Amino acid sequence: MAGRITRRTALALGGLGVVAVAGGGALLWAGLNPADPRTGIPEGFTSGDDLSQPAELRSTGGLLEVTLSAAPAAATIGGRAASVLGYNGGLPGPTLRLRAGDRVRVALKNGLAGPTNVHVHGLHVSPEGNGDNMAVMVAAGESFDYEYRLPANHPPGVYWYHPHHHGTVADQVFGGLYGAIVVDDPTPIETGRERVMVISDITLDGAGTVAGASAAQRMQGREGDLVLVNGQLAPTLTLRPGERERWRVVNACVSRYLRLRLDGHRLQLLGLDSDRLEKPAEVDEIVLVPGNRADVLVTAGSGSAVLRTLAYDRGTATSGGMMGGSRQRATDSDVILATVTVGGDPAAAPAAVPRQPAPADLRGATVTARRELDFAMGMGMDGGSMMAFTINGQEFDPDRLDTTVLAGSVEEWTLRNSSGMDHPFHLHVWPMQIVAQGGTPEMAVVWRDVVNVAAGGQVTVRIGFTDFAGRTVYHCHILDHEDAGMMGTILAR
Ligand code: C2O
Ligand code: CU
Ligand code: CU
């Protein structure tokens, strides 16, 4: 039978408890471990603790020196003891707080059972030597000293770090290895409290260990049963009426798309990824594909509300369907991420946000080269049951150079998705300006470092290969797809 279950069918079936989940490990979505219909919290877990903040490590005098120890860690998630992975003992890892022009030294210590490394996602830094170099591999028990130098004009905003060792990226991120990076504004924006909100998902088995993923879940891109904010299950935040806060939101999920809503409160988007809007945009909903970040002002209304992520149909990988329980859901239910309560004396009206500099616009630039990248899923090369995830027909090979660009030039890339599910495309080091979506020109100036290429769709981007030369990668940011081979190499010279 045709395996694709639309979100509507799944919802209809959900009440009957028949949509089983793939692989042994996952808590069953419907039927066996029913979520409380009021809170969406799976049975056996608790929620509602005050939202905590990761430790913050701030640069001083233009330098930040930190040690990140990646190792197994003990955590309490939703009131239950869990064995996870963490940087410096927990999930998420510490927030690195930087300024443009900074030097950052990261001593990565590998306390894991296998190899790892670290990538500073979205930072515009050199991919060479001991910079953000994807060829670095740190064996178990070893360490490596990275050093990054942010250009003096590095864009402010929200970035993040996570492991990037090909083949185990999804497992390590799913286990809990991620943390936020904030590059402060050159001219501060007056806000009340600032919060980092690292959103991740995880599945725990009955013993509190992180569940592995079945072959079907890897093809689909695994989604955890628990969606966490700063490692907490549906925590609570309290604001005064009219109080404005600034939230730095990271989508650190391996595969889950976030459609964030906070009805009843005002959301003003300052920027997404390294993009910064000239004036904040009033929004109802913020879509973050895996890897994206949002910088947002939240002004409390008068009543309490929940921060939710809504269902998103990103298509399905499997053709075997639900027979044999081999299909995992794809972001097909709403989840409550946090509760926002409003109380106390009304806050004074916040100051207006100063106008931000106009973003660069490559639409008038001279394009040196045009390329097409085709994202496909097909039968495995070995004819086996694992599906092949390819870019231009090829699976990742670190020793093959796929794309060579001229440092300093501007290129136009058309990203085509001939598969039945969305792929969020990510390029290291250099952000991409979206100039057309599905053949329709983009009128606004939109910069992203992860661009969603919808199933059967296409997106055209322009990239300025400025400031750095060297070799790095681009890939699908559904990390299971990256591990399965949907990644290519690029050299700027
Ligand atoms: Cu966030 Cu190459 O990754
Ligand atoms: Cu990246
Ligand atoms: Cu993908």
Side-chain angles (χ1 to χ4, degrees):
M1 79 176 231
R4 173 121 179 215
I5 303 175
T6 63
R7 183 183 137 219
R8 217 165 276 116
T9 328
L11 288 174
L13 294 171
L16 302 172
V18 290
V19 181
V21 172
L27 281 173
L28 293 184
W29 171 43
L32 298 186
N33 266 78
D36 181 324
R38 232 166 11 92
T39 60
I41 304 303
E43 198 173 83
F45 291 89
T46 59
S47 63
D49 290 348
D50 285 343
L51 177 69
S52 61
Q53 286 295 288
E56 193 172 87
L57 304 170
R58 191 181 279 268
S59 65
T60 47
L63 177 67
L64 177 64
E65 287 187 285
V66 301
T67 298
L68 291 178
S69 297
T76 303
I77 295 176
R80 286 173 56 166
S83 310
V84 298
L85 304 178
Y87 286 116
N88 299 0
L91 88 207
T95 300
L96 311 185
R97 192 100 202 189
L98 310 176
R99 302 185 67 87
D102 277 352
R103 260 180 317 142
V104 186
R105 295 201 185 116
V106 174
L108 175 69
K109 297 206 179 327
N110 184 359
L112 303 170
T116 192
N117 59 12
V118 74
H119 164 51
V120 284
H121 178 129
L123 286 190
H124 182 55
V125 294
S126 169
E128 301 224 278
N130 63 344
D132 193 26
N133 185 342
M134 290 305 102
V136 169
M137 190 274 282
V138 186
E142 311 260 280
S143 54
F144 186 83
D145 295 324
Y146 290 92
E147 180 164 336
Y148 315 106
R149 178 167 221 131
L150 277 60
N153 61 351
H154 193 288
V158 194
Y159 303 88
W160 65 301
Y161 60 91
H162 62 78
H164 218 287
H165 180 66
H166 180 62
T168 60
V169 180
D171 285 342
Q172 292 187 356
V173 171
F174 198 64
L177 293 172
Y178 36 76
I181 300 173
V182 174
V183 178
D184 278 318
D185 302 288
T187 315
I189 294 173
E190 194 199 305
T191 44
R193 189 208 287 250
E194 212 179 293
R195 306 187 199 246
V196 164
M197 299 175 85
V198 179
I199 300 177
S200 62
D201 60 0
I202 195 169
T203 300
L204 300 174
D205 64 17
T209 27
V210 181
S214 66
Q217 286 170 320
R218 288 175 195 271
M219 284 192 280
Q220 180 63 39
R222 73 188 77 178
E223 295 193 12
D225 293 315
L226 306 173
V227 189
L228 309 176
V229 183
N230 296 344
Q232 295 174 285
L233 193 59
T236 300
L237 312 64
T238 305
L239 278 74
R240 291 154 60 200
E243 186 177 4
R244 184 167 79 190
E245 295 191 344
R246 182 173 185 178
W247 294 359
R248 315 278 202 161
V249 187
V250 178
N251 184 355
C253 298
V254 166
S255 315
R256 183 183 291 268
Y257 283 43
L258 299 174
R259 277 175 68 199
L260 304 173
R261 277 195 87 95
L262 181 62
D263 295 338
H265 300 293
R266 182 177 181 198
L267 295 181
Q268 293 170 286
L269 190 65
L270 293 171
L272 244 142
D273 295 356
S274 65
D275 204 5
R276 176 55 54 91
L277 303 169
E278 282 180 82
K279 299 191 305 191
E282 305 284 335
V283 294
D284 294 326
E285 191 172 301
I286 300 171
V287 175
L288 297 180
V289 305
N292 279 151
R293 294 85 57 206
D295 197 338
V296 55
L297 295 175
V298 179
T299 306
S302 52
S304 298
V306 287
L307 175 67
R308 290 180 296 155
T309 181
L310 303 189
Y312 186 105
D313 185 357
R314 58 183 177 86
T316 49
T318 51
S319 52
M322 58 189 286
M323 311 309 290
S326 66
R327 183 195 171 267
Q328 191 193 18
R329 71 182 190 270
T331 322
D332 55 10
S333 53
D334 294 3
V335 177
I336 293 176
L337 297 174
T339 302
V340 177
T341 61
V342 178
D345 297 334
V353 176
R355 200 177 181 87
Q356 301 296 307
D361 185 353
L362 296 183
R363 285 176 299 182
T366 305
V367 170
T368 307
R370 291 189 155 78
R371 298 175 201 276
E372 292 192 1
L373 267 58
D374 183 72
F375 300 82
M377 292 155 37
M379 273 323 177
M381 307 300 178
D382 57 358
S385 61
M386 254 332 252
M387 201 174 279
F389 287 82
T390 59
I391 301 178
N392 290 349
Q394 292 185 297
E395 293 183 289
F396 179 61
D397 176 352
D399 299 324
R400 185 187 65 227
L401 180 58
D402 296 307
T403 303
T404 304
V405 303
L406 205 58
S409 69
V410 173
E411 295 205 353
E412 183 173 288
W413 292 10
T414 298
L415 314 169
R416 269 187 230 292
N417 182 351
S418 54
S419 77
M421 62 188 303
D422 291 15
H423 298 291
F425 177 72
H426 174 51
L427 169 65
H428 287 205
V429 183
W430 302 279
M432 300 171 273
Q433 182 184 354
I434 297 174
V435 296
Q437 305 238 32
T440 312
E442 171 63 63
M443 300 320 285
V445 180
V446 180
W447 287 89
R448 294 286 182 270
D449 57 54
V450 189
V451 171
N452 192 49
V453 191
Q458 73 172 59
V459 180
T460 306
V461 298
R462 286 192 178 185
I463 306 154
F465 290 95
T466 52
D467 299 324
F468 304 106
R471 184 174 173 126
T472 189
V473 293
Y474 46 75
H475 57 89
C476 175
H477 217 289
I478 289 177
L479 299 174
D480 283 301
H481 294 176
E482 174 194 338
D483 282 336
M486 201 173 253
M487 176 152 71
T489 56
I490 177 171
L491 173 69
R493 60 172 180 138

